[in-house]
Amino acid sequence: MAVTSLRSGRRLLLDSATKALFQLLTWVCIAIFVGLALVLTQQSLPVLAENNVADILFSGTWDPEAGQFGFLPAIVGTLITMSVSMILVVPIAVLASVYIAEYARGSIRTLLSSSVDILAAVPSVIFGLFGLLIVAPLVDEVIAPLFGAGSTGLGLLTASLVIAVMTLPIIMSLSVESLVALPDSLRETVLSLGETRSGMAIRILLRAAGPGILSAILLGLGRAFEASIAVAMVIGGKNLIPDSLFDAGQTLPTLIVNTFGEMMSLPETRSALLFAALVLFVVVTAFNLLASFARNRLERHWRYQ
Amino acid sequence: MNRRYVEQYLIETLIRLSAVLVVGVLVLIIGMTLYKGGQVLINQPSVAFTAPGPLYLLGGSGGFLHAILGSFAIVLPATVIATVLAIASGLYLQSDYCSERFARAVNVLLYVLWGTPAIVYGVFVLTLLIMLESRSSLIAATFAVSLLQFPIIARFVDEALKSVSADLKETVYALGTTRFETLRLLLRAALPGVVAGVIMGFARGLGDGAAVLFTAGGGIEMPSGLNDPATTLPILIFQQASSAYPSVREDAYAAAFVLMMLVLVLVAFSKFIARRFSRFAQEDH
């Protein structure tokens, strides 16, 4: 450091200058995001003024020309795809996490955890292609005939399978993290009481890491809720309440993606879609905050052991 | 005793099967992309290097160089903006510039933003454009992508700064430095984590389609100016995959190959940096 810069006046000036700069930039970020919430709310007011919230959420008619914006098909589609994908993915993700955390050693463990990291980084549009090329024919030619249902391959089941694959890495990485964080003394105690290794994993460790795994599942739910482009590629995009899992449907994000064309020209539709985005934002945020709450509880629980 | 052996055997089989299934899915996805895309690219390597003809998406001649260039033209500046904001706010929140209560509140906000769906950012920027009576363009997409990247990079920066030993900070302060001089040292110690985070943010920006879908304007020409419509690889793949023309659908796999390779290289690079330099970061318990 040059001698001149050791004079404290200049150093203090630099200190306050950088403070002001960082403070400004931090507040810019805060302002942008407060703006986001305000704009979404303010822009969805017109449609809320014309229709009441219950009408929008529980009506099945989507007819922009008549001013009717029923989200029900999209909401039903979202709930179905979310629950089906979670039923499929949670047991597999949790068991595979147990394998990584408790069984795998050395290079196998590195291989598995890098697989999860890579899966997390795969762009969502590639999951969509995967759905079109592999899952859709599978549903069309194998699963649908098994249930004796007609299918085009594009529909809620295909979408659920794609969502299941997309949520796999996020659920797994957090589950592994919370299993690994459990103290070894717990494992030693349980084994010394005569429990088998697998019994320990299933009966004791999963329960001890419960809040962490719950938080992983909640984050996975958030991810399932927001999946837009990949799901839009495989769900078929019909604004009808589906009769079966093989029917084409709609979710809230695909409603936004698929009605994109109308969005620019009709202010009413735009307002309705922004309300959909607001609902999406609020629900995903709720999931994430719940997940963070569950994680904090887990950390606090094991910190003082 | 026998029952417990059977139970152990069953549970372990299930656990192993699940792990195999996970690896299988990954191999299937990457293998599919590389195999199908590789086939198209080997037959016709020019699609990745030529500009699109006017009817490219309708089965016309040309390639998707515009989307590759568009991806970089949108995501590179976006990453720079997001990185500057993320480092500034990260340093501000962790370097004794502000109260702990404020830092905690902003961290909750950052956490919420980290989980905000990309499509919400896209819709938000589009709404701003409509309010400003402007239209979708390269610069609007850059703004949307940087909104998406900022919380991701901020999170990595935060973790990297946290992993710097508290002793270092106290030692440096004890030498009589100002906050700015201290944080320069903190940042240097945290640099590998920060760089790894920036690369991951870049990869996420490249791979995301939802934030740019509404804001880039889906241009079908080479990107020419800041206010002109542009397109990125994910949007292009989305459009190609739903095309009625088989040749265009085939090209989607070629574009996916390029995107996948870019993302894989970036992730590997980020892991390499994080691991290569992790010996410089002290554990702090």
Side-chain angles (χ1 to χ4, degrees), chain A residues 263-279:
Chain A
M263 203 166 150
M264 300 290 270
S265 46
L266 301 166
E268 272 275 271
T269 317
R270 202 168 69 218
S271 175
L273 289 177
L274 282 165
F275 181 59
L278 184 68
V279 172

Side-chain angles (χ1 to χ4, degrees), chain B residues 135-159:
Chain B
R135 65 200 171 95
S136 310
S137 61
L138 200 148
I139 193 155
T142 303
F143 180 52
V145 173
S146 60
L147 284 185
L148 173 79
Q149 288 174 318
F150 164 68
I152 299 171
I153 300 179
R155 201 169 199 193
F156 278 99
V157 171
D158 185 56
E159 266 166 31

Side-chain angles (χ1 to χ4, degrees), chain A:
Chain A
M1 220 179 282
V3 176
T4 47
S5 69
L6 283 171
R7 275 181 300 176
S8 74
R10 271 181 68 168
R11 292 170 59 203
L12 288 179
L13 192 67
L14 196 59
D15 191 54
S16 11
T18 49
K19 176 182 175 169
L21 179 69
F22 291 151
Q23 194 167 27
L24 179 75
L25 288 177
T26 308
W27 278 102
V28 166
C29 305
I30 298 174
I32 288 175
F33 293 110
V34 170
L36 185 142
L38 285 182
V39 164
L40 284 186
T41 318
Q42 186 247 332
Q43 293 287 315
S44 45
L45 286 180
V47 75
L48 295 180
E50 303 257 323
N51 312 270
N52 69 45
V53 182
D55 271 356
I56 296 180
L57 294 181
F58 301 115
S59 142
T61 351
W62 178 271
D63 188 0
E65 249 116 83
Q68 285 188 304
F69 305 98
F71 285 176
L72 193 64
I75 290 175
V76 170
T78 310
L79 292 179
I80 292 177
T81 49
M82 265 169 72
S83 23
V84 173
S85 58
M86 283 301 128
I87 291 170
L88 294 170
V89 78
V90 166
I92 293 173
V94 170
L95 288 178
S97 319
V98 169
Y99 186 77
I100 295 182
E102 300 298 319
Y103 285 86
R105 289 286 170 266
S107 55
I108 300 226
R109 187 179 180 145
T110 319
L111 174 83
L112 276 164
S113 41
S114 7
S115 304
V116 175
D117 288 346
I118 294 173
L119 207 54
V122 171
S124 58
V125 72
I126 289 182
F127 286 112
L129 279 185
F130 164 73
L132 284 177
L133 188 75
I134 293 173
V135 184
L138 183 78
V139 169
D140 184 23
E141 285 155 27
V142 183
I143 303 180
L146 215 62
F147 289 91
S151 157
T152 56
L154 298 183
L156 292 171
L157 184 63
T158 315
S160 311
L161 285 164
V162 170
I163 293 175
V165 175
M166 289 174 74
T167 48
L168 194 61
I170 198 157
I171 299 183
M172 278 186 68
S173 59
L174 288 166
S175 304
V176 171
E177 214 173 89
S178 44
L179 281 170
V180 168
L182 294 176
D184 276 337
S185 59
L186 178 69
R187 294 187 181 84
E188 282 156 11
T189 315
V190 176
L191 289 177
S192 73
L193 289 171
E195 179 60 287
T196 57
R197 208 169 157 207
S198 58
M200 168 185 76
I202 299 297
R203 277 189 285 270
I204 310 295
L205 298 185
L206 282 187
R207 187 173 300 170
I213 292 172
L214 181 71
S215 123
I217 294 172
L218 283 169
L219 281 180
L221 268 175
R223 185 95 194 266
F225 198 78
E226 66 168 312
S228 46
I229 286 215
V231 180
M233 286 164 85
V234 294
I235 200 164
K238 277 215 182 74
N239 239 328
L240 296 170
I241 294 178
D243 292 326
S244 84
L245 277 180
F246 299 104
D247 281 356
Q250 192 85 283
T251 67
L252 275 177
T254 65
L255 180 71
I256 302 178
V257 171
N258 287 332
T259 17
F260 162 57
E262 301 164 45
M263 203 166 150
M264 300 290 270
S265 46
L266 301 166
E268 272 275 271
T269 317
R270 202 168 69 218
S271 175
L273 289 177
L274 282 165
F275 181 59
L278 184 68
V279 172
L280 208 62
F281 177 65
V282 171
V283 174
V284 172
T285 302
F287 280 133
N288 287 335
L289 288 178
L290 273 177
S292 139
F293 180 68
R295 265 168 80 77
N296 287 344
R297 274 200 52 173
L298 178 78
E299 274 170 21
R300 233 174 310 163
H301 186 72
W302 289 110
R303 187 168 298 158
Y304 302 112
Q305 291 292 310

Side-chain angles (χ1 to χ4, degrees), chain B:
Chain B
M1 207 56 198
N2 197 17
R3 196 188 63 82
R4 292 180 62 195
Y5 272 123
V6 173
E7 186 205 67
Q8 167 131 355
Y9 179 77
L10 276 180
I11 293 177
E12 287 190 353
T13 314
L14 279 178
I15 287 176
R16 264 163 232 232
L17 276 180
S18 313
V20 169
L21 192 66
V22 170
V23 178
V25 165
L26 177 76
V27 170
L28 199 61
I29 289 176
I30 295 191
M32 166 209 89
T33 317
L34 298 190
Y35 177 73
K36 283 281 287 184
Q39 260 182 343
V40 179
L41 279 177
I42 284 170
N43 288 335
Q44 224 188 336
S46 63
V47 284
F49 305 109
T50 42
L55 296 175
Y56 173 66
L57 279 176
L58 300 172
S61 64
F64 50 78
L65 185 65
H66 66 306
I68 300 179
L69 291 182
S71 279
F72 282 104
I74 289 171
V75 180
L76 271 179
T79 312
V80 174
I81 298 173
T83 305
V84 170
L85 287 177
I87 292 183
S89 61
L91 289 176
Y92 184 69
L93 295 176
Q94 281 219 0
S95 299
D96 310 306
Y97 280 125
C98 64
S99 72
E100 252 177 61
R101 249 179 79 188
F102 179 77
R104 223 174 299 140
V106 177
N107 274 327
V108 173
L109 180 75
L110 283 180
Y111 180 75
V112 167
L113 297 172
W114 172 81
T116 299
I119 193 148
V120 170
Y121 291 130
V123 168
F124 167 64
V125 174
L126 179 67
T127 313
L128 286 187
L129 288 177
I130 293 170
M131 287 161 93
L132 297 171
E133 295 184 349
S134 178
R135 65 200 171 95
S136 310
S137 61
L138 200 148
I139 193 155
T142 303
F143 180 52
V145 173
S146 60
L147 284 185
L148 173 79
Q149 288 174 318
F150 164 68
I152 299 171
I153 300 179
R155 201 169 199 193
F156 278 99
V157 171
D158 185 56
E159 266 166 31
L161 284 175
K162 263 189 202 146
S163 74
V164 176
S165 148
D167 294 345
L168 175 68
K169 195 157 129 182
E170 280 161 21
T171 315
V172 179
Y173 270 137
L175 293 172
T177 57
T178 62
R179 290 173 297 195
F180 177 62
E181 287 152 4
T182 311
L183 69 85
R184 272 172 46 190
L185 282 164
L186 283 186
L187 191 59
R188 191 174 302 163
L191 203 57
V194 173
V195 174
V198 171
I199 298 173
M200 284 307 282
F202 184 58
R204 280 290 299 274
L206 269 186
D208 177 76
V212 277
L213 183 62
F214 307 115
T215 48
I220 48 159
E221 286 161 14
M222 301 290 274
S224 46
L226 285 183
N227 287 314
D228 293 324
T231 195
T232 66
L233 280 169
I235 308 180
L236 181 82
I237 296 171
F238 180 61
Q239 289 168 334
Q240 285 170 325
S242 50
S243 163
Y245 300 88
S247 69
V248 179
R249 282 206 301 271
E250 288 292 301
D251 275 7
Y253 293 102
F257 181 96
V258 176
L259 181 62
M260 192 77 180
M261 286 312 276
L262 283 174
V263 170
L264 286 181
V265 167
L266 285 170
V267 172
F269 189 46
S270 146
K271 292 252 155 209
F272 170 75
I273 287 183
R275 197 162 302 161
R276 173 85 174 70
F277 295 98
S278 63
R279 59 198 165 104
F280 296 126
Q282 295 114 322
E283 289 285 312
D284 181 32
H285 285 294

